[in-house]
Amino acid sequence: MSIQKIAVFPGSFDPITKGHVAIIKKALPLFDKIIIAIGTNSLKNYLFDLDQRKDHLKTVFKLESNIEIMTYKGLTVNFCKKHNANFIVRGLRDVKDFEYEKNIAIMNNKVNSDIETIFFMTAPEYSAINSCIVRDIINNGGDISQFLPNEISDLI
Ligand code: ADP
């Protein structure tokens, strides 16, 4: 029996954007399963609570049998180990993302050398989409529909 290739895509997804969806779709053919792992950090103020963010992800990926949606607390590498995932998927928009992600990937690999981070470049049309700016637009009553998956902008 071959070993399953399992990847974790960790993030806040507050809210999930078209940028996240595009990264997951790029990664999907490379793995047997992707676990989208919603991180919970008690120090962060979220716009959408954990159940809402989970519902958003479940709605967007309801037809994808190779995607699981989970939540977690603590170190991403520990979550990976618990679920037999040897890969972390992350998206890159620009050098700022690269600088930030590079250090986390190196540190994660030092903490657990079985776990490798795989990066996917964003599509140019999504490179400016950022959940933080989307939250700001929502908080100020603007229209965010072009940045979010259709199923989600209908809900929000
Ligand atoms: P975090 O709170 O860890 O930054 P996010 O939910 O903002 O989590 O993002 C999770 C992952 O998705 C990160 O790797 C981030 O770089 C990536 N990402 C976010 N927005 C985009 C986008 N528009 N295009 C590509 N990747 C993105």
Side-chain angles (χ1 to χ4, degrees), residues 74-91:
L75 289 183
T76 306
V77 283
N78 290 348
F79 177 83
C80 290
K81 195 171 171 196
K82 190 168 157 200
H83 295 280
N84 300 316
N86 289 104
F87 305 96
I88 294 175
V89 165
R90 296 292 283 177

Side-chain angles (χ1 to χ4, degrees), residues 9-13 19-20 23 44 90-91 93 101 122 126 129:
F9 184 48
S12 308
F13 308 106
H20 293 124
I23 294 295
K44 272 194 183 176
R90 296 292 283 177
R93 285 161 290 194
E101 297 287 347
T122 191
Y126 301 138
I129 303 182

Side-chain angles (χ1 to χ4, degrees), residues 62-144:
K62 61 174 184 284
L63 298 177
E64 299 285 356
S65 54
N66 297 347
I67 293 181
E68 274 183 43
I69 319 292
M70 292 187 189
T71 62
Y72 76 108
K73 276 202 186 92
L75 289 183
T76 306
V77 283
N78 290 348
F79 177 83
C80 290
K81 195 171 171 196
K82 190 168 157 200
H83 295 280
N84 300 316
N86 289 104
F87 305 96
I88 294 175
V89 165
R90 296 292 283 177
L92 294 178
R93 285 161 290 194
D94 50 29
V95 287
K96 229 165 79 241
D97 272 353
F98 173 75
E99 286 294 341
Y100 174 76
E101 297 287 347
K102 175 191 76 162
N103 292 338
I104 298 178
I106 292 171
M107 294 293 278
N108 278 341
N109 187 255
K110 289 274 179 207
V111 174
N112 186 333
S113 59
D114 292 335
I115 297 173
E116 207 54 65
T117 303
I118 314 282
F119 295 103
F120 292 86
M121 281 308 300
T122 191
E125 63 269 34
Y126 301 138
S127 68
I129 303 182
N130 170 316
S131 292
C132 181
I133 302 175
V134 168
R135 289 197 294 278
D136 208 35
I137 299 172
I138 295 173
N139 281 331
N140 289 289
D143 177 10
I144 36 72

